[in-house]
Amino acid sequence: MYVTCLDMEGVLVPEIWIAFSKASGIPELRRTTRDEPDYNKLMHWRLDILREHGLGLKEIQDTIATIDPMPGAREFLDELRTFTQVIIISDTFTEFAKPLMKKLGWPTLFCNSLVVGDDGMIKDFKMRVDHSKLSTVKALQSIGFDTIAAGDSYNDLEMIRASRYGFLFKSTEQIKKDNPDIPAFEDFPEFLEAIRNATEH
């Protein structure tokens, strides 16, 4: 039995930090895991910038409320769940993701949490587990599931390569060039068909 494990940002919804970069007028916040493979380093850098500008959780949540899933993402998920179990495994945070999950029809999401002070400032973050995407895929395999995994960034490669079938979706030219053996897709219908074909093997 297959479980399909999907990244969220860049695959189903636009990148939250890029949207917040535009809304806040802080270009440095455009940096994502497509640019910086070390997520811990990236998040500490982001939190330093937020503190410098006096921006807290509310400001980010206000931006997230304006974000819609990528065109076709909700329909893709609805159809995908007719023939495979689906878990979204994301390095984002519960405090960010809830409005987006509502717009996607409440799929199962495994992510992380923020440490927020009484003043609304984000003080720190708590990762659910080290290498959460790879750890989740291995845990699923340990209880008898085959996994299919897909994402767009450097931090998705571990779970993609550890799965029986793995795909890149809407990734960068550099990541595709560095990983030519991983099938890459740009639109939801072709991506859906590739996953459907994988589940039939």
Side-chain angles (χ1 to χ4, degrees):
M1 184 176 184
Y2 284 101
V3 176
T4 299
C5 300
L6 300 175
D7 179 35
M8 183 180 80
E9 292 179 69
V11 174
L12 299 170
V13 303
E15 294 279 354
I16 289 170
W17 288 97
I18 290 177
F20 187 62
S21 170
K22 292 176 184 174
S24 64
I26 305 172
E28 297 95 324
L29 289 175
R30 288 184 60 85
R31 194 167 177 80
T32 71
T33 49
R34 290 177 168 208
D35 311 299
E36 173 53 70
D38 187 332
Y39 188 75
N40 193 59
K41 179 179 174 183
L42 177 65
M43 272 306 301
H44 281 294
W45 182 77
R46 286 167 168 168
L47 295 187
D48 286 344
I49 292 174
L50 292 178
R51 277 190 288 270
E52 283 175 25
H53 291 269
L55 297 169
L57 179 60
K58 182 183 184 303
E59 287 81 6
I60 300 175
Q61 287 177 329
D62 287 347
T63 295
I64 292 169
T66 70
I67 298 174
D68 287 323
M70 292 181 177
R74 171 71 186 263
E75 294 78 7
F76 162 78
L77 267 184
D78 287 346
E79 181 62 25
L80 184 61
R81 288 186 291 178
T82 67
F83 61 86
T84 175
Q85 297 296 309
V86 179
I87 299 173
I88 297 172
I89 309 174
S90 174
D91 281 335
T92 194
F93 305 95
T94 304
E95 295 83 356
F96 288 177
K98 193 171 181 180
L100 297 168
M101 292 302 97
K102 182 177 181 180
K103 292 177 181 179
L104 286 170
W106 299 111
T108 299
L109 171 69
F110 291 176
C111 64
N112 306 298
S113 58
L114 294 170
V115 179
V116 183
D118 293 338
D119 57 358
M121 299 298 289
I122 302 171
K123 297 186 176 300
D124 203 353
F125 58 96
K126 290 183 178 178
M127 302 301 283
R128 183 169 49 83
V129 65
D130 286 340
H131 296 274
S132 62
K133 297 184 180 189
L134 176 62
S135 297
T136 302
V137 158
K138 285 188 170 180
L140 289 167
Q141 292 167 349
S142 76
I143 55 172
F145 291 102
D146 278 321
T147 58
I148 297 167
D152 69 316
S153 295
Y154 286 106
N155 65 334
D156 298 313
L157 292 173
E158 284 185 330
M159 74 168 178
I160 289 171
R161 292 203 171 278
S163 292
R164 185 163 183 182
Y165 296 98
F167 306 104
L168 290 168
F169 186 66
K170 294 185 180 295
S171 191
T172 66
E173 290 306 314
Q174 188 61 52
I175 292 173
K176 288 188 284 187
K177 183 180 175 183
D178 291 345
N179 298 274
D181 58 313
I182 301 176
F185 298 92
E186 298 298 324
D187 65 72
F188 284 115
E190 286 187 358
F191 185 34
L192 182 71
E193 195 59 29
I195 298 173
R196 190 191 303 274
N197 288 340
T199 63
E200 293 171 355
H201 291 86

